Amino acid sequence: MADRAEPRRASMRTVLAIFAVVTVLALGGVWFSQAQDRASSVSDAPKTAAAQKSPQPVREVPQDTVEAASPKGLPGVRECGLGSATVEPEIITLNCSNTGVVASGIKWAHYGADGADGRGVVQVSGAANGAASSTYAARFRLYGAKNVDGVLAFTGIDVDYTGATPMGESKETYSIA
Amino acid sequence: MGIRGRIALALSFVTALAVVLLGIAVHHISAVERARQAQSYQDDLLSSALQVYQRDGLLALGAQLDDSTLPIPLTKRVGKGKPGTYISDGADPRVWAATPVGDGKVLSVSAPYPDRDPLQKALDKALLVAGAATVALMAVVAWFVAQSLSRRLRHSAAAARRIAAGGAPDAEALLAGGRDEVAELGRSVHHMAASLAARVEAEREFTADVAHELRTPVAGLVASAELLPHPRAVEMVRERAQTMRSLVEDLLEVSRLDSGVERAQLDPVELPSLVRGIVKRARGQRGVDDVSVEVVGEGRIVATDARRVERILVNILGNAAKHGKPPIEIRVEGTRIVVRDHGGGYPPELVDQGPRRFRTAAPERGTGHGLGLTIAVGQAVVLGAGLEFGTAEGGGAQAILDLPEADPPAADA
């Protein structure tokens, strides 16, 4: 009996080992193919979908009723010097020549007539590699509030990068009026 | 291939397999993560561009309106009113993000997505180098581990061989420390050898005791037979008593040989003369009559114990006379003595395994106790000589006794 029991156990171990290897290979193949399918298919764009559902609230300051619309007399930001001014904007176009540099996701810690300070990210378009990050964390400071075309607005913004920088400069200044 | 090579090869193969599978998995995960990040970055840009477009009607961050090169799968997705991202193939692979902005218009951003990313290439290279180094290191480690294992197994095997050759169980070699399977094997072999040695010793002692106890009464029996009145009865009792005494003497000799206490008294002897003398004395005993001696070449001088050589040859001649057929031929070739008869030859089991006590030959070779050739083998061991049993050319039993040569005389002698 003992002479036959040992080969049977060995055979069972072999079968189990082969089964385990085949199972692992099969699961790996399924995972591999599913991952390939995911990479070549259309994926969701959750941030864009969120922005699409909740358009940015625009708090405009009418040119003829600056004092009335802004009881505190807070200056706003005119997008590339055009149109009305927005108070505490969440997004500001920094490079208006090609609109390729944008400050977005801005959370203002202080917003007053003398200036404003906040944090967010700078997004840069035109990267040579789409897999490389094009977003850079930065601190923002609005300054130079004055009446431009009848609208009280900030005229400049300092950008102080807190980490990686898009052009190698840790500080940049843009004219936004 | 030895166990060292097999273990090293197996471990290296398994390591290489694991490294390859791990490398493929890491490469694949990296590629998938790269695609996910690229799509997430474009989603970021598009969400900001969408906010600017919705607020000011400007196209920021390189966004385009109704891009005609927008991939078809993404166009279909956006056509359903849902934003999405997509990586296109082709000559100019790009990562895309697009969203509907009303009035059937589509806002989209895109960036190049090269097939061979520098980071991916660096990762692949690092994986290749690390994998090769791991396999090489594993092979070296496996070799040393296997060598240690193999060395211990070889020590156990050598100890087992020494036991098989008649040595005492080597406790130091077999009872090495450790709790692994090799140590267990060594302990088992030692216990087996010790047990077998104890049994053999008990049997040897029993044989010696029996022979010793029988010796005295047999001698008395022989002496008493002389006193019997009838001549025929005297002859019969004397013959059987002599046979019994011979058997007892043989048993005692076997017992001494088994105990390993026998030592040879080596002296230089001229071998042809020794053989002729032995044959001369053996004629007429045990039915040995028709015996011829031939010396091939020049007679050699050997260092041996003449009494033990005589014991060996007489036993072989007695076996040939009893179980074989005449003529019996003895040929002296250098240090070798070849004895052959013209009977049916030794049985195969005797040729393969050697003589065994109380295992008599095949029926065609008659009956016996199997002690004569057993004693011959034991005496040959004491002499350090070789004794082989086989079949002669043309049939018949053939025994070859190969004696060691005498040491050459010292230079100053």
Side-chain angles (χ1 to χ4, degrees), chain A residues 31-32 35 40 42-49 51-52 56 58 79 91 99-100 102 104 123 125 127-134, chain B residues 28-29 34 38-39 41 43-48 52 54-56 59-62 73 77 83-86 99-100 112 114 117:
Chain A
W31 167 72
F32 196 83
S40 60
V42 178
S43 302
D44 291 336
K47 293 174 183 174
T48 301
Q52 193 181 37
Q56 184 182 3
V58 178
E79 191 70 11
I91 187 164
T99 65
V102 168
S104 67
Q123 291 177 311
S125 69
N129 187 349
S133 174
S134 56
Chain B
H28 183 65
I29 290 171
R34 175 174 174 248
Q39 289 173 308
Y41 293 153
D43 182 26
D44 276 346
L45 291 179
L46 182 62
S47 70
S48 296
V52 173
Q54 286 175 333
R55 189 183 66 190
D56 305 315
L59 294 175
L61 293 171
R77 167 75 172 243
T85 60
Y86 183 75
T99 181
D117 182 55

Side-chain angles (χ1 to χ4, degrees), chain B residues 14-86:
Chain B
V14 171
T15 305
L17 189 63
V19 165
V20 168
L21 289 177
L22 191 64
I24 291 175
V26 170
H27 174 88
H28 183 65
I29 290 171
S30 170
V32 169
E33 181 63 16
R34 175 174 174 248
R36 191 194 65 76
Q37 280 192 350
Q39 289 173 308
S40 176
Y41 293 153
Q42 294 307 305
D43 182 26
D44 276 346
L45 291 179
L46 182 62
S47 70
S48 296
L50 176 63
Q51 290 178 61
V52 173
Y53 180 79
Q54 286 175 333
R55 189 183 66 190
D56 305 315
L58 295 174
L59 294 175
L61 293 171
Q64 295 196 35
L65 207 56
D66 293 337
D67 188 346
S68 60
T69 60
L70 196 67
I72 294 175
L74 190 56
T75 303
K76 289 180 179 176
R77 167 75 172 243
V78 174
K80 296 176 183 176
K82 294 179 180 177
T85 60
Y86 183 75

